[in-house]
Structure formats: C-alpha cells, structure tokens
Amino acid sequence: MILLICEGRGVFTKKEFGQNEFLLPYEGELLEKEPDVDDTYIFEFTFKGKPFWVDASKEDGSFGRLLNDDHIHPNCRPKVMEIDEKPVICFFSLRPLSSNTELVYDYGPGNIYPWRGKVITPLHMFIVEVFVI
C-alpha cells in the first residue's frame, strides 16, 4: 500500500502499462432496470441498444469502483465488453502509464459533479486509503 496526500480514495498502478492495455473491470451487480437510489457507485451504460447499470456500492474488495474522476486529463477509459453474453465494463489505458500513476477517467459531461469546480486548499488535504494494482 502506498500513502499519498490527496482527497478521496484512489487506485494507483503497481507496474507500467502500455497504451490501450486492459487495466481492471468495474465490478458489481448488473441491473437491467434503473436503480431506485442515486448512488455514487452506480455506472450507467448502453449495451446492444438497451440501458444497463452496474451497482458497485457494496464494498467487495474490487478496485474499479474506486477510480477517481478527471475530465481534463483522464488516463484510462471504460469500454463495454461482452463476456459470456453479458456486458462487462473494462478500463483500458489511454496512453502508456508508469508505475505509481493514479488511474483516473472522465465520469461524463455535466455539472453534476460538485468537485469539478472545487479548489483544494491545504486544509482540505489529508492521508487517504490508496490501493495499488
């Protein structure tokens, strides 16, 4: 485990990755109807023209749910893959990544993410839980 000074939770690489290399899946319960709750760990996507959701709100030891948002400089992207006739969200690197790089992706358009306009000052910084893959 590596400790860094930043805000929130995050996932960092433990080794180098090449461009377009598979990094990790976004795991959770696959839902075919919209969930009743608006949870931070709900991933909405379309597969074969149908809407789906992955509910990753349960702490299950998986890491995809812990990737942070960076709509300006993302270094990975989600891609829907078909595995055993089911959709699976997988993250791939957008460029070569060195060891100890935080994995970040663009959560999507809009102003629904309050941290995007937030300025982090030294008072907002603290030691956090960080996972290395």
Side-chain angles (χ1 to χ4, degrees), residues 2-77:
I2 298 173
L3 292 178
L4 296 176
I5 298 177
C6 59
E7 188 167 27
R9 298 170 83 177
V11 178
F12 289 73
T13 59
K14 191 174 180 178
K15 66 179 192 95
E16 293 181 357
F17 287 91
Q19 184 173 351
N20 295 319
E21 196 169 337
F22 170 76
L23 300 169
L24 70 166
Y26 189 91
E27 299 177 275
E29 180 183 1
L30 181 64
L31 306 173
E32 294 187 38
K33 74 174 216 178
E34 188 169 1
D36 295 333
V37 296
D38 183 23
D39 192 287
T40 304
Y41 298 102
I42 301 285
F43 195 114
E44 182 179 354
F45 64 100
T46 302
F47 177 69
K48 294 186 177 180
K50 286 181 56 182
F52 285 89
W53 297 262
V54 173
D55 180 356
S57 56
K58 183 179 178 183
E59 290 279 353
D60 63 358
S62 64
F63 298 120
R65 65 191 292 280
L66 302 176
L67 270 61
N68 285 316
D69 175 48
D70 188 336
H71 65 292
I72 298 171
H73 301 291
N75 58 21
C76 61
R77 67 179 172 85

Side-chain angles (χ1 to χ4, degrees), residues 102-118:
E102 182 178 12
L103 298 178
V104 291
Y105 74 103
D106 183 353
Y107 284 9
N111 294 324
I112 61 170
Y113 309 106
W115 56 85
R116 286 189 175 175
K118 186 176 178 181

